Amino acid sequence: MLARKIKWLMAICALMVGVHIVNLSTNGMLYQYGIYPRQPDSLWGIFAAPFLHGNLGHLLNNLVGLIVFSSLLFVHSLKRYLWSSAFIIVLTGLLVWLFARSALHIGASGWIFGLWSLCIATAWYDRKFINILIALLVVFLYGGMLFGVLPNDSRISFESHFFGAIAGVVCAFFQAKLYKNKM
């Protein structure tokens, strides 16, 4: 079962790398599929933006976060992980589309901040030992991510970070209701 989870994660990472290579080879033509807040034609960006990155450093940073937090969440089922990821991507993207400043918003950071806060909030809603252990580990090793939800660089979508963190907490709440006594 773990092998299946790893295959899914590697496929997601390969997709991100593939999209980045295509975007580079087309001189950034795929950026048009990012999120442009309140632009109706940009609604598709909710699904595309997490796979678009500004440069190699942006992509690599997001891949590391995605791998770390996804791996921690693999203590739960693959179905739960995929549901959580989809929920976080959609809610984060929708909130960015509705409320973010007028700028291009791309990257998996919102998803990653959502997975980060999901790791922490799951311990609050589902107080199993493993969830508490994961939350403590995440807070100890990655607690500094909290500062990523604050605006500090106009080139970085702090809104994606902020709304992603909110989406992760909301996801943990719904999971507590949805998966109670199922897992």
Side-chain angles (χ1 to χ4, degrees):
M1 193 63 162
L2 180 60
R4 188 166 174 233
K5 293 173 183 177
I6 292 170
K7 284 180 185 177
W8 267 93
L9 182 56
M10 291 303 106
I12 292 167
C13 291
L15 178 61
M16 281 188 186
V17 170
V19 167
H20 189 68
I21 290 169
V22 169
N23 200 33
L24 282 176
S25 66
T26 60
N27 279 337
M29 200 166 151
L30 297 180
Y31 289 138
Q32 66 182 319
Y33 300 109
I35 298 173
Y36 292 94
R38 294 163 301 285
Q39 299 297 315
D41 293 348
S42 171
L43 275 169
W44 289 108
I46 290 170
F47 305 101
F51 298 94
L52 298 169
H53 292 85
N55 57 47
L56 185 59
H58 185 208
L59 173 66
L60 293 176
N61 282 333
N62 281 336
L63 286 174
V64 169
L66 181 69
I67 290 168
V68 168
F69 299 120
S70 296
S71 298
L72 290 170
L73 289 167
F74 281 164
V75 301
H76 304 291
S77 71
L78 179 60
K79 179 181 173 184
R80 183 170 171 169
Y81 168 76
L82 294 173
W83 182 90
S84 300
S85 290
F87 181 90
I88 289 167
I89 288 169
V90 170
L91 183 57
T92 300
L94 188 57
L95 291 171
V96 166
W97 189 85
L98 287 169
F99 301 113
R101 65 197 142 104
S102 294
L104 171 64
H105 297 266
I106 56 170
S109 308
W111 181 10
I112 291 159
F113 271 79
L115 296 175
W116 169 77
S117 66
L118 177 62
C119 286
I120 297 167
T122 297
W124 177 261
Y125 292 109
D126 183 3
R127 297 179 186 196
K128 292 181 182 164
F129 176 75
I130 190 66
N131 295 328
I132 294 168
L133 186 63
I134 289 170
L136 290 172
L137 182 69
V138 168
V139 168
F140 181 72
L141 295 176
Y142 295 97
M145 284 180 63
L146 183 60
F147 296 107
V149 300
L150 302 173
N152 63 2
D153 185 338
S154 62
R155 296 170 297 154
I156 296 173
S157 176
F158 78 90
E159 298 97 330
S160 291
H161 299 180
F162 178 72
F163 292 131
I166 289 172
V169 173
V170 172
C171 184
F173 171 78
F174 283 122
Q175 280 184 0
K177 303 292 183 201
L178 199 66
Y179 289 105
K180 192 171 188 160
N181 302 322
K182 287 187 181 180
M183 308 219 167

